[in-house]
């Protein structure tokens, strides 16, 4: 697309959803390093998210995690968000932290535990009704650690039953996003370990069930852009959980480990119409050692840069080279876009949006970081509650 | 199953299909080490396969690879097999060795190449009609080596079109087995890289299309028995291509690298009814450095041993422990079967079948190895023709 | 070794060290599921470890972790252990849980943090003096999460400096065991990521520095027994941290994921003289969902079973087959030992040691599990303190 | 380095060695797709290499592979090269393609095979004397496919013996480069599988033995730049074999799969002084489906672009951020260089060298591709002879 105005328009219309939990503390099983200034309430998380949106211009929604963001009045929380220029985004369920869930939630061998887990999922839909959220994101830590521990196929039956109940509860405009993950915290089987499993369930459920691709949830070497292309072709790509990894589900800033992969993914999104078809672009990251707000700003910028490069691919030239079997020529067309320095273009986009061209510098200069360290004293910092 | 007669009956009824090409030379891109006595014709391959069946009692069919096993008269070849106590099994197509296929076969950007590839696949169904084979095995090396080289989604469209044409040509009792592979020989994208892709295509095609699981064709760490359980639950597990690997598609003897994994796979087969539902148990291996016939005998025995252990799992005790959430207890039930030395049981099974209890020793004593070295002099040894 | 008495003698003399922390709670970053009856003090951990030794007969030592097992009087703790038939084993240092260590400990860019970390390591040697422990186990979580975050080579310099200082403090009979780990909790670089790095440091330090092989700390596909053989050949294998994994550092029970690999490792230990050369056989596992004491008993048994099979390998027959280039024959010799059911042999060994032949059943019957649930009420359960 | 003249000078002085075999045909075990115009003789390979040097300006040497490039008179071949502006580079030995080497070469159980292999290695040093080559590159395919097949430690003894003999034969100015590889063609153990093994042998041999890092020869997820930094710190990094991979040893064009990784590697080279310390930058790639000469030109350019970016890193700013523990800041310094479009800078460098700014276009316009297709008719095309 050499049509610069169109590229800019596409970049302006892209929205990246930030996750409330990324503003709180996170860590590994070895240690959570708390950071000063971290939010203590869902409201403070929204305050921080408003900063990210203010400085990037393209992060207008915030995903919630229940119960980490549980409040009495979700309508009030939505209003709080609106007053800061934000909307509440996807509702993320949590059926992995109650003691009952040690051996599973919706796939647990005990029907009482399954009922409890399903109750939580249905409650999340209630919350969606209150917040006006479109998407229910379902990630299940369900699985087993040891061969024989439970029956693989029976767990699929139980999973299907729960998903079906939730699906039936969805409103007209609501969607269910089913996330898959290769492993962790289950270390032998995971009940939704790959896109194929998520796809098979979504297919049976119907059009309101879509697959969520977390970029850190694959086996080593997996070609993620291939999965993206396939799901788009099937009309089943609902969302991304963006982050990056060198090893496992490292949850580093998106684009930090392999910016070329992120570009290839975004190229398939552009090519498959995913920029305009309702795919949700969400971050799902853990800023264990770096300050959270600037890390999220950087992540939003990384998504933008990859998208810009993807939009700059000369698709006519690419199609010609591909048709002619010109391997090096086709690769060169793609690499030409990737090798372009798109930072000046994005600076222009930002200026046209009325914001500073360098979000990182602008945030740094704003004093927000110092302010929250000074003001957020006492109370309990938000975290995973693990 | 503590019912020993039933276990024995199941073991006697299991059939392992051996591949014609495993009797010929194979190697790596670095070197093919030819072995003396290797067959020079499809008929000589069948002669060797008859030895494997004679000494194991459970390898009555032989898969063919076209054109490596191309003959003028397939009916005559089938008769040749029958005279040696064998039947011809799956027909394996080959659309990866003509110069035209450098950039793909059924997914090639050039429609003329696609037509040629499709023509070969349809010819393979003709051969099935002649041989009486039930299964057409489709493995495509199609893919790309470099980002941008071709359009991922367009290649899926082309693949779907070819598969549909082949499906339409299948007879009432014939099946199509779609194999997936993580990578190699394509090194960036592979057009059918995982079970999800194969499943999605088979689902659209219909009941005669089934997935073939090659145990060496997965990303590192992939839980293969999970895939087996899922495909059986969906009624889409058509066949295995058995072999084993430490790294990539090493094509070692099945069970050589991870016998516990093979046991877990066979347990899911038993548990999901796969022993009696028409799943084809085929070997697909490369005996690059070891003598071929005894390696194949050993491989058949490895499948039997894993199956025997799987049949010995005390499923009532397992179900109880699983229901009670007894993690260690359930694991112990499985491990108890795995840790059992089933070689005496299999010796009994063989004696009841009227063959020697130790197939390796019996083959060694038969003199066949020396005879083929002495007799198969001159001519061109069979191989991959790579 | 067909000499059964010698095999039994070797099995009786093998000692498996259990880690104090495995008796406490552990989990993932998502959740620690507390278990009833878990110890609240180092003394209660020793009480549990005494059970493991009582029922297996081969777990006479217990590794401590400082500060998780910090006490006022280590001499008194050693005496407490002795009264229960135990000895205190390796001292494990912890320089990853203070807030100061967010960016590293001995490799931290700030010299003040490095001094603090070194101080802890030296204090651990003081503790060794008090407990009579031979081994100081050093595992560093040090590393970086993002490219550029710190200077890779400078961190090696800092690491070398700290190791040298600790080495100089070791007594005549004391050793330093340097553990390596592929990744986690650092997600880009780890300062001691592989055996080569640990070996290079130990080589420069001198004979009292040895490498510790944690069986879960390798890249996917790594051939661990090869590393074991190499380190034994170099005289640099100091210890094992046993556990098992399907994916990353899953810390499952040793032998649970790949019993054949454990057997191959133990075969190299036997072959390289590691059974009698001072190699420490330690467990380092996380029993996140299974009850801890029986899981540890099972793990000790798994090590024993693998050792027994390794001892049963007919090494003369193996050497002959290897010398003759008989690939299948040599493999068959190894597999014959692996396929042997050694449980009856180990039952005999236990009876000769004067303990029950089935440790799991005997522990279950002992009532200890119920007793600790009943008695250990109140207080704070031991865990990682993460 | 913001000193542009110094960056340019460094780029002009960098030399990338191209491998003679990359000009010939290559493929996978499934198929070698021959390409028209491919050289038939070592001389024609040098003709092609001269084109690469002419259009890039930085590829003045060519590595030979014996026996693929065996000639009667190596002095004459060196003169042939010189007349085309080239020098002969590293001599690559081949002890993996004789039938004798099925079970190994210098590690083979049979001393006669070991003697034969050693003889070849010594002959390669004779050839170095004749060609004036500095480097002997040793890659061994030696290893085993099945557990038990041979004795791991004994093979190390045999390897050490052979290396020692070769080392003793090296001239004053000659070096031995020991390459490691994770797997392939051996599928269970490889006798030099990782940098640690290569390093341990080189350390014992002495200063003329150095490690060669092939960027495709690592386990999944391995941090290659860490290894580079370590080997440079130890004075043991002798050379690179550049290529890239998504999966295994895919041998794609360097930088094609992960350009960010290549940049990180080159940053460690720059940081560790490797640009000026005699490290050899060699390509070792397989252009299975793309035309060879332009693929090699592209690869040389990819190395240059990564080097340019590495040279542009603001090392003062980086050191400051690292010292301050500014994770995001340090990362941003590195990424700033990576995100720079260095193509204009390299175009200037080329113009200052007196060559065309766009090597790909200039080669295309030269007519060489058409000429070799027209002229190189008949004869046998060069390849691996596998």
């Amino acid at each position: 697309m050499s049509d610069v105005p169109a590229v800019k328009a596409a970049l302006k219309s892209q929205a990246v959803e930030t996750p409330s939990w990324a503003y709180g503390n996170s860590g590994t099983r070895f240690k959570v390093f708390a950071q000063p200034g971290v939010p203590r309430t869902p409201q403070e998380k929204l305050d921080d998210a408003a900063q990210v949106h203010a400085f990037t211009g393209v992060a207008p929604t915030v995903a919630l995690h229940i119960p980490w963001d549980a409040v009495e009045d979700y309508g009030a929380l939505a209003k709080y968000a609106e007053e800061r220029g934000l909307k509440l985004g996807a509702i993320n369920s949590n059926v992995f932290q109650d003691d009952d869930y040690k051996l599973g939630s919706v796939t647990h061998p005990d029907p009482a535990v399954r009922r409890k887990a399903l109750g939580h999922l249905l409650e999340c839909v209630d919350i969606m009704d209150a917040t006006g959220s479109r998407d229910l994101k379902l990630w299940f830590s369900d699985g087993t650690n040891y061969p024989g521990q439970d029956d693989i196929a029976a767990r699929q039956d139980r999973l299907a039953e729960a998903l079906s109940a939730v699906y039936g509860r969805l409103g007209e405009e609501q969607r269910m996003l089913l996330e898959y993950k290769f492993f962790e915290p289950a270390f032998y089987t995971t009940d939704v370990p790959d896109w194929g499993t998520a796809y098979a369930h979504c297919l049976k459920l119907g059009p309101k069930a879509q697959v969520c691709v977390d970029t850190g949830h694959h086996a080593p070497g997996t070609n993620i852009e291939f999965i993206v292309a396939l799901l788009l072709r099937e009309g089943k790509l609902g969302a991304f959980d963006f982050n990056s990894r060198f090893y496992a589900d490292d949850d580093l800033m998106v684009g930090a480990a392999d910016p070329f992969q992120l570009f290839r993914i975004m190229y398939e999104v552009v090519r498959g119409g995913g920029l305009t078809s309702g795919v949700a672009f969400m971050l799902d990251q853990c800023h264990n050692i770096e300050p959270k707000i600037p890390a999220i700003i950087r992540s939003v910028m990384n998504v933008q840069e990859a998208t810009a490069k993807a939009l700059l691919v000369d698709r006519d030239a690419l199609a010609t080279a591909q048709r002619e079997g010109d391997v090096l020529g086709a690769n060169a067309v793609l690499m030409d876009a990737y090798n372009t320095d798109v930072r000046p273009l994005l600076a222009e986009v930002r200026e046209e949006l009325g914001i500073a061209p360098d979000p990182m510098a602008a945030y740094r200069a704003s004093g927000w970081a110092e302010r929250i360290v000074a003001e957020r004293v006492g109370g309990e910092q938000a975290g995973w509650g693990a």
Side-chain angles (χ1 to χ4, degrees), chain A residues 45-59:
Chain A
K45 294 178 190 175
L46 291 172
D47 294 342
D48 288 357
Q51 298 295 314
V52 173
H53 185 44
F55 290 107
T56 62
V58 295

Side-chain angles (χ1 to χ4, degrees), chain A residues 128-195:
Chain A
M128 292 166 68
D129 290 343
T131 58
S133 298
R134 178 189 62 171
D135 294 335
L136 173 66
K137 182 132 64 73
L138 300 175
W139 172 67
F140 298 102
S141 72
D142 292 56
T144 65
N145 276 7
Y146 290 103
Q149 180 187 325
D150 201 3
D151 188 284
I152 294 172
R155 290 176 80 96
Q156 289 297 312
D157 295 339
R158 298 170 201 150
L159 173 65
E161 190 181 331
L163 292 176
S164 175
V166 177
Y167 192 86
R169 168 66 184 82
L170 291 175
E172 269 313 294
E173 304 300 320
Q174 292 174 335
R175 302 190 310 174
M176 164 194 292
L177 302 173
L178 183 54
E179 190 169 342
Y180 58 91
K181 184 172 186 181
F182 187 47
F183 80 100
E184 197 216 17
F187 293 132
Y188 167 52
T189 59
T190 294
D191 291 320
V192 190
D194 55 17
W195 79 265

Side-chain angles (χ1 to χ4, degrees), chain A residues 209-288:
Chain A
Q210 305 261 306
V211 178
C212 174
V213 174
D214 183 304
T215 47
H217 287 189
H218 301 85
T222 300
N223 186 322
I224 301 175
E225 60 267 29
F226 181 91
I227 295 171
V228 169
L230 247 70
L231 288 173
L232 279 168
R233 184 175 174 272
E234 302 281 339
K236 279 294 181 196
L237 181 65
F240 283 98
D241 263 10
F242 279 128
N243 51 61
S244 78
R245 54 74 80 87
F246 288 97
Y247 303 97
D249 187 30
D250 306 341
D251 279 331
L252 301 178
M253 299 187 299
V254 59
D258 191 346
F260 183 45
Q261 181 189 58
L262 181 60
F263 161 74
R264 298 193 310 265
I265 289 171
M266 289 312 305
Y267 174 71
E268 292 304 327
V269 167
V270 169
R271 187 267 178 234
L275 273 192
T276 53
S277 69
V279 175
F281 301 97
M282 307 187 287
L283 302 180
D284 183 10
Q285 308 181 153
C286 291
H287 309 294
N288 295 346

Side-chain angles (χ1 to χ4, degrees), chain A residues 361-377:
Chain A
Y363 171 75
R364 215 157 34 228
S366 74
W368 182 261
E370 293 75 15
R371 187 176 144 192
I372 55 178
V373 169
E375 293 184 355
R376 293 176 182 168
V377 174

